[in-house]
Amino acid sequence: MKERPIMFKAEMVRVILDGRKTQTRRPIKRGQVFRFCREGEGPCDLSAAERREINAEPFRWEPENPAHPSPSELLTLCPFGAPGDRLWVRETWRPSWHEEEYACIEYRADGKKLKPTIYDEGVGFHFFGECDESKPSDPWRSAMFMPRWASRITLEIVSVRVERVQSITEEDAIAEGVDAVSMADVPRQATMSRRGDFAQLWDHLYAKTAHAWALNPWVWVVEFRRVNEARED
């Protein structure tokens, strides 16, 4: 079993906490499948920045192309892991301080404040002590900078598959947690389906990129379940 971080916006954290989100879709990037320059994908005299830009391009999978991985091989390249692996959630947070140490962590998604005291890596949960809410808090910090010990949510991967983003079904859109809560900050038009809502959410995130809904990119589909709860010490 391996653990990897994964970032979620506050709206999605809320629906994970409510138990209404059990899937996530992320664009497959070319560099996740082909290592540019290392595997004959192009000249090696490009700068690192140029290689990163090329590797960020969408992966255009041709299953019949012998130079492309087979369906089973492709799944082994998923950067989020395989069934049985775990994902620890990074979310927007901020600490408060007491004598050079964290006294408490506040989570923007629901405003909850917890004091991490013990993280049991083997079991996969935290113990939390009482939080001194009188201490001043720092400004909000990006989810990107959340350390492992501050994460309160651990997910276990149930399944991984690869498909086009437009292949999402109504049931899958519901499992993505698409509702009024998760789309509160998304400018949108009313639709007759959760799938239609998901399309608008996707474009809210990716419309200005090569992963836009209309381009129907290949995506990693990760199904998960929550395995840990915040426990008091």
Side-chain angles (χ1 to χ4, degrees), residues 27 35 108 140 155 166 179 188 207-208 211 223:
R35 295 294 182 264
R108 190 170 189 173
W140 290 111
L155 309 172
Q166 291 183 20
D179 60 15
R188 62 192 179 102
K208 296 182 179 180
H211 306 290
E223 184 178 1

Side-chain angles (χ1 to χ4, degrees), residues 25-29 56-60 163-168 195 198-219:
R25 281 161 173 74
R26 306 294 171 100
I28 301 179
K29 298 179 181 179
E57 294 176 356
F59 171 55
R60 295 175 175 85
E163 65 185 28
R164 296 276 195 174
V165 70
Q166 291 183 20
S167 297
I168 189 171
R195 184 179 181 276
F198 179 82
Q200 294 185 71
L201 175 61
W202 185 269
D203 265 348
H204 177 67
L205 298 172
Y206 300 110
K208 296 182 179 180
T209 74
H211 306 290
W213 174 264
L215 299 177
N216 200 17
W218 289 98
V219 295

Side-chain angles (χ1 to χ4, degrees), residues 127-143:
F127 284 102
F128 290 94
E130 293 185 1
C131 182
D132 185 350
E133 298 191 14
S134 67
K135 302 298 180 184
S137 295
D138 277 8
W140 290 111
R141 298 189 180 185
S142 167

Side-chain angles (χ1 to χ4, degrees), residues 25-44:
R25 281 161 173 74
R26 306 294 171 100
I28 301 179
K29 298 179 181 179
R30 179 172 157 188
Q32 293 171 341
V33 178
F34 296 114
R35 295 294 182 264
F36 184 77
C37 180
R38 295 182 186 176
E39 298 179 4
E41 277 279 293
C44 293

Side-chain angles (χ1 to χ4, degrees), residues 2-232:
K2 295 182 179 179
E3 278 197 342
R4 298 172 178 85
I6 187 170
M7 289 196 296
F8 284 102
K9 293 182 176 294
E11 297 81 7
M12 289 303 175
V13 171
R14 285 197 287 272
V15 290
I16 289 174
L17 292 172
D18 290 343
R20 291 182 288 114
K21 182 175 178 65
T22 57
Q23 289 184 12
T24 187
R25 281 161 173 74
R26 306 294 171 100
I28 301 179
K29 298 179 181 179
R30 179 172 157 188
Q32 293 171 341
V33 178
F34 296 114
R35 295 294 182 264
F36 184 77
C37 180
R38 295 182 186 176
E39 298 179 4
E41 277 279 293
C44 293
D45 57 353
L46 297 178
S47 68
E50 289 172 321
R51 289 198 298 273
R52 282 196 298 270
E53 182 177 355
I54 292 173
N55 282 335
E57 294 176 356
F59 171 55
R60 295 175 175 85
W61 191 28
E62 302 170 10
E64 304 304 320
N65 187 335
H68 286 219
S70 67
S72 58
E73 290 172 335
L74 186 58
L75 291 179
T76 67
L77 301 173
C78 179
F80 302 102
D85 289 344
R86 291 184 174 183
L87 301 168
W88 56 274
V89 173
R90 282 176 161 161
E91 57 180 297
T92 304
W93 65 297
R94 62 182 176 186
S96 61
W97 297 85
H98 178 62
E99 296 178 354
E100 303 301 325
E101 295 181 358
Y102 289 104
C104 139
I105 301 295
E106 183 177 359
Y107 301 91
R108 190 170 189 173
D110 57 1
K112 195 165 187 178
K113 295 183 178 181
L114 301 171
K115 180 181 179 182
T117 57
I118 300 173
Y119 170 63
D120 189 330
E121 185 174 2
V123 179
F125 61 79
H126 286 93
F127 284 102
F128 290 94
E130 293 185 1
C131 182
D132 185 350
E133 298 191 14
S134 67
K135 302 298 180 184
S137 295
D138 277 8
W140 290 111
R141 298 189 180 185
S142 167
M144 184 180 298
F145 304 112
M146 171 174 276
R148 175 67 184 98
W149 56 263
S151 175
R152 59 176 171 162
I153 303 172
T154 302
L155 309 172
E156 181 179 304
I157 296 177
V158 175
S159 68
V160 178
R161 67 180 187 270
V162 170
E163 65 185 28
R164 296 276 195 174
V165 70
Q166 291 183 20
S167 297
I168 189 171
T169 65
E170 186 74 2
E171 292 74 19
D172 286 336
I174 293 172
E176 279 273 0
V178 176
D179 60 15
V181 173
S182 60
M183 296 187 67
D185 296 330
V186 179
R188 62 192 179 102
Q189 299 177 344
T191 70
M192 299 299 293
S193 69
R194 295 286 185 89
R195 184 179 181 276
D197 288 341
F198 179 82
Q200 294 185 71
L201 175 61
W202 185 269
D203 265 348
H204 177 67
L205 298 172
Y206 300 110
K208 296 182 179 180
T209 74
H211 306 290
W213 174 264
L215 299 177
N216 200 17
W218 289 98
V219 295
W220 305 111
V221 182
V222 181
E223 184 178 1
F224 55 81
R225 67 181 184 91
R226 191 178 173 196
V227 297
N228 75 315
E229 298 289 341
R231 305 187 184 185
E232 294 185 357

